[in-house]
Amino acid sequence: MMWPRRGLDPGSVWAQRLRQLEQRLRTKEERIVVLETENAALHLKLAEYQGLAGRGTSEILQLYAVHGQQLKLQRRSVVTQLHGAIKRLKQDLKSLHSFALELSKDFQRQSKICLYQVLAAVQGIQLQNEAMQMFQIKAFDLEQSLQEVTERYEKEKQKRKALHNSLIELRGNIRVHCRIRPLLPFDAAAGHSVSQDRRRNFSEKVAYAADDETVLVKCGRPGHASVNKTFQFERVYNDLESQDAVFADVAPLLTSLLDGYNVCIMAYGQTGSGKTYTMLGPQLEGNLAFSIEEESELGIIPRATQEVFRLISEKPPGSYWVEVSVVEVYNNEIFDLLAKDSYGKVFGVKRDVVTTKEGKSDVPLLTHETVENASEFLHLVNKGLQLRVTHPTLVHAHSSRSHLVVTLTITTVVFGDNFGTLWEDEQTSQRLNKEASCTFPQKMRDNKSTSSSRASSPVQLEATEKMKQVKTRLQLVDLAGSECVGGDAKLLVMLCISPGQKYLTESMQSLGFGTRARQVQRGQVKKKNFPVSSKGK
Ligand code: ADP
Ligand code: MG
C-alpha cells in the first residue's frame, strides 16, 4: 500500500488512492458482468442442446440412423467442450470472488487508516485554532496594556516636568558647585628665589572634597598645627570626578531653559584652577576643535549646546531656533567677538551697553548668529575664541579680569491657538499670555538663516496674527565676575579650586565668594511667558 509522502497533502493523496481502487473495482465488476454474460450464453446453448436432445426420439433415431456414429461423436465433443468451458468459468468466478473479497478487505483497511488520519488532522487543526485564539486574546490584552502604559507615561512625563521645575525653583536661584582639580606637575613650580622646602610645601594638598557637599581645607603655616575649615555647597566634585559627572548636574538646568527660564552657568576661580577646563575642555584656550576621541573630555559649553539641540529635536519642528553671541567683558567694556568687517571677516568690535526703559542692561548692536546644530555653534564659538587668541591687544585673553560670555538665545514661536504655559494654574497662564510679544520671528521675516542683528527692530504684528515668540537665554561664562547676572536667571556658579598649599589664599577667597553667593537672597526667578504647543507636549 502507498502511504502519503511527507510534505504532500495527506487528504488529496488518499483521495487519489481511493479513486484508483474504485477504478480497479469497476474494471473487475465489468469483467464479472462479461463473464456472467458468457456464462448465460453457454447455459442457453446447453439448454438448446438439451432441447434438441429432448426432440422426438424417432427423429433422433432417424437421425441417429442416418448420422449414427457421426452425431454421437459430435455431441460428445460439444458436451466435453461445454464442460471444459463451464469448469474454466467456475474457476474464473472463484478467483474473481477471492480477488474481489481481498480488494474489499484492502479497501476497508485503507479507508480505516485514512479515516484515522483525517480524524487526527482535524483534531490537530482544532488544537491549533484554539492556540491561535489564545494568542489573539493575549495580543489584544498586550495592546491594551501598552496603550494604558503609554497614556500613563504621558501623564507622568507632564508631572515630572512640573516637579522638575518646582525642584529647580526650590533649590534656589543661585546654586554653587565646587570642583577641586587634581594636583598637577606645574603646582610644584615656583620662582628661583623659593627654597626647596617651600617648593615641596607648595604641592602639598590642602583642599579636599570631604564628601559630595563639603570642602575641607587644611589651613595653617608649616610647623604650626593646622586648622581644618569646611565649606558646604550644593555639590562638591573631587579631583577624580569626570567631565561627565559635572555635566550630569548641569543638564537639568537646560530642561528649565526650554521650559522658559533664563539660565546662567559661570565658572569662578583663580587662574589655573580649571575654569576653562570645566567650561570648554582640556584643549588650548581658543581651540574648540574637539576630535571625537576627546568627546569624554568635553566641557560644559559644548555639552550644553548638544543637550539644548537634543531637547529642541524632541519638540515640534520649526517652533524653536537658536542664536549665538560671543562677547568678551573687560573693565565693563563689551567686545563683540562675532562682529564682521565689510569683507565678512570676523573682528572684535567694542559695543555700547545701554540701559533699557525697564532698567535692564542691553547691548543693542551685538551680533547674533543663527545656528542649526551643535557643530555649527562650536564652529562659530571657535571663531570668536580664535580672535581672542590672535588679537590679544584688541581683546584681553591674557588678563585674569577678562570674561568670556557665550550666549545661546532660544526663540520659541507658537501660533495663538497653541499658546499656553507649562503651569496648569490659570492665573499664571493669563499673566504670561499678556506678556507675550506679538512679533514676527526674525528668521521668517527676512528668510535668512545666517547673520541677523537685533539692531533691526522686529516687525510688530496685528494682534489678530496671533503669532507669539518668547526668548530664553543660556549664558555660559568663563573667567567670570558677576556681570552676567541681569537678576532673572537661574545661576549656577562652578567654583574651581586648586588643591595645592601654594594657592591657599586664593582658594580661601574663592570658597568665601561661593559661600556668600549661596547666601544671596534674590526674588523668585521669573519664568518667561513660555508658549506650549498642545501637540508638542
Ligand atoms: P583656568 O581657566 O581657571 O585658568 P585651566 O582650565 O586653564 O584654568 O586649567 C589649568 C590647567 O589645569 C590646564 O592645563 C588644565 O588642563 C588642567 N586642569 C584643570 N582642571 C583639571 C581637571 N579636573 N583634571 C585634569 N586637569 C585639569
Ligand atoms: Mg582659563
Side-chain angles (χ1 to χ4, degrees):
M1 146 165 186
M2 264 176 54
W3 293 93
R5 269 183 285 147
R6 257 170 188 251
L8 288 177
D9 176 3
S12 74
V13 171
W14 285 116
Q16 199 184 349
R17 180 76 184 130
L18 207 59
R19 271 199 300 282
Q20 281 174 358
L21 288 171
E22 278 169 358
Q23 181 69 32
R24 274 174 70 187
L25 193 63
R26 255 201 305 283
T27 318
K28 292 296 171 193
E29 276 167 358
E30 277 163 16
R31 180 82 182 120
I32 289 169
V33 171
V34 170
L35 287 172
E36 276 172 354
T37 319
E38 270 178 26
N39 196 10
L42 286 171
H43 272 290
L44 270 177
K45 240 184 188 167
L46 184 62
E48 195 185 321
Y49 283 121
Q50 278 170 344
L52 275 178
R55 267 195 212 164
T57 323
S58 62
E59 207 179 326
I60 293 167
L61 282 175
Q62 211 180 353
L63 270 171
Y64 195 74
V66 180
H67 298 294
Q69 200 59 26
Q70 195 188 348
L71 242 174
K72 206 175 174 181
L73 282 172
Q74 267 184 2
R75 210 172 80 188
R76 196 174 288 162
S77 88
V78 167
V79 170
T80 321
Q81 273 182 16
L82 219 55
H83 269 289
I86 289 169
K87 207 174 162 187
R88 278 201 304 280
L89 214 58
K90 277 185 177 169
Q91 263 174 359
D92 269 6
L93 257 177
K94 210 174 154 187
S95 63
L96 205 64
H97 260 292
S98 65
F99 179 72
L101 203 70
E102 206 177 303
L103 210 63
S104 91
K105 272 186 193 161
D106 190 30
F107 178 71
Q108 276 178 2
R109 245 196 335 269
Q110 289 189 12
S111 304
K112 239 184 210 168
I113 293 170
C114 280
L115 196 67
Y116 284 139
Q117 285 176 344
V118 168
L119 280 176
V122 167
Q123 255 180 355
I125 287 170
Q126 267 172 357
L127 285 175
Q128 275 177 6
N129 269 350
E130 278 164 24
M132 184 86 129
Q133 271 172 358
M134 293 247 296
F135 280 130
Q136 273 173 346
I137 292 170
K138 257 188 199 167
F140 182 74
D141 283 354
L142 282 176
E143 248 171 55
Q144 256 191 343
S145 56
L146 180 69
Q147 204 179 331
E148 278 168 24
V149 169
T150 311
E151 278 165 18
R152 260 204 356 237
Y153 168 73
E154 283 304 320
K155 273 187 201 152
E156 292 301 321
K157 211 164 87 176
Q158 295 290 348
K159 271 192 214 161
R160 190 207 63 81
K161 216 182 201 15
L163 283 174
H164 168 83
N165 287 313
S166 324
L167 179 70
I168 295 277
E169 229 147 72
L170 283 172
R171 277 176 175 168
N173 304 328
I174 303 181
R175 293 173 61 72
V176 182
H177 292 195
C178 179
R179 186 181 203 183
I180 302 168
R181 70 154 168 82
L183 269 177
L184 295 166
F186 64 78
D187 285 329
H192 295 294
S193 56
V194 177
S195 73
Q196 198 70 27
D197 260 13
R198 277 202 63 194
R199 223 176 280 186
R200 205 173 301 125
N201 270 331
F202 278 168
S203 59
E204 189 197 329
K205 202 170 157 173
V206 295
Y208 299 88
D211 58 46
D212 65 1
E213 287 182 354
T214 315
V215 178
L216 184 136
V217 185
K218 287 184 191 167
C219 304
R221 281 170 295 135
H224 292 74
S226 70
V227 183
N228 286 348
K229 286 203 169 171
T230 57
F231 299 85
Q232 301 287 325
F233 298 105
E234 272 74 27
R235 176 74 161 86
V236 174
Y237 307 94
N238 65 38
D239 55 353
L240 298 175
E241 285 191 75
S242 64
Q243 300 280 65
D244 264 348
V246 173
F247 184 70
D249 296 322
V250 171
L253 279 173
L254 302 175
T255 310
S256 287
L257 181 74
L258 288 201
D259 287 351
Y261 293 90
N262 286 331
V263 173
C264 174
I265 303 168
M266 70 178 203
Y268 186 96
Q270 60 162 131
T271 305
S273 59
K275 297 182 297 297
T276 300
Y277 178 89
T278 299
M279 293 305 286
L280 295 175
Q283 272 65 28
L284 281 179
E285 218 172 308
N287 185 4
L288 255 175
F290 298 102
S291 61
I292 295 191
E293 310 89 71
E294 287 147 354
E295 223 161 69
S296 66
E297 290 289 297
L298 290 181
I300 289 172
I301 292 179
R303 281 171 196 259
T305 316
Q306 281 169 1
E307 177 66 5
V308 165
F309 279 103
R310 192 190 67 75
L311 290 170
I312 286 176
S313 75
E314 290 176 351
K315 306 280 177 184
S319 57
Y320 289 78
W321 76 92
V322 180
E323 291 162 301
V324 176
S325 70
V326 183
V327 302
E328 160 128 319
V329 184
Y330 178 72
N331 268 353
N332 283 333
E333 287 185 335
I334 290 194
F335 294 86
D336 183 349
L337 297 193
L338 295 185
K340 291 193 181 116
D341 61 14
S342 48
Y343 302 102
K345 202 167 175 291
V346 175
F347 74 121
V349 172
K350 184 173 161 316
R351 298 285 187 205
D352 291 325
V353 183
V354 299
T355 307
T356 63
K357 277 185 286 180
E358 296 85 30
K360 288 180 183 169
S361 296
D362 193 19
V363 188
L365 290 173
L366 191 64
T367 310
H368 291 261
E369 294 262 5
T370 305
V371 286
E372 305 274 346
N373 51 48
S375 64
E376 257 181 53
F377 164 84
L378 291 181
H379 179 72
L380 260 187
V381 174
N382 218 3
K383 268 198 213 163
L385 294 181
Q386 288 292 345
L387 195 69
R388 214 175 171 214
V389 171
T390 49
H391 296 278
T393 47
L394 181 70
V395 287
H396 309 84
H398 301 303
S399 165
S400 58
R401 289 167 66 200
S402 126
H403 317 298
L404 177 76
V405 183
V406 176
T407 307
L408 271 126
T409 308
I410 296 163
T411 309
T412 312
V413 62
V414 189
F415 290 88
D417 290 347
N418 289 334
F419 201 78
T421 71
L422 281 183
W423 306 106
E424 271 76 51
D425 133 42
E426 198 41 39
Q427 270 187 338
T428 316
S429 167
Q430 279 173 2
R431 176 176 60 79
L432 296 181
N433 269 328
K434 255 182 236 155
E435 286 173 7
S437 57
C438 287
T439 52
F440 242 137
Q442 187 95 26
K443 198 176 169 190
M444 291 189 182
R445 187 156 46 88
D446 57 22
N447 214 12
K448 271 187 229 153
S449 63
T450 50
S451 174
S452 55
S453 158
R454 270 207 267 164
S456 38
S457 65
V459 177
Q460 289 294 323
L461 276 185
E462 292 290 314
T464 47
E465 291 275 353
K466 281 188 169 177
M467 187 188 273
K468 286 150 186 170
Q469 59 168 333
V470 177
K471 289 181 191 291
T472 51
R473 246 176 257 162
L474 168 65
Q475 286 184 308
L476 302 154
V477 188
D478 183 23
L479 292 173
S482 56
E483 284 86 344
C484 84
V485 188
D488 68 344
K490 287 178 179 297
L491 173 64
L492 172 68
V493 180
M494 195 60 80
L495 219 55
C496 293
I497 302 290
S498 308
Q501 158 79 32
K502 181 178 172 186
Y503 306 107
L504 181 61
T505 316
E506 292 87 348
S507 294
M508 287 298 282
Q509 188 276 327
S510 292
L511 290 164
F513 168 81
T515 306
R516 283 193 302 281
R518 289 187 75 209
Q519 286 156 2
V520 172
Q521 287 292 323
R522 298 191 307 161
Q524 237 198 4
V525 170
K526 222 166 84 193
K527 181 174 177 292
K528 285 297 177 87
N529 34 2
F530 189 71
V532 179
S533 125
S534 51
K535 63 178 171 193
K537 294 287 152 185

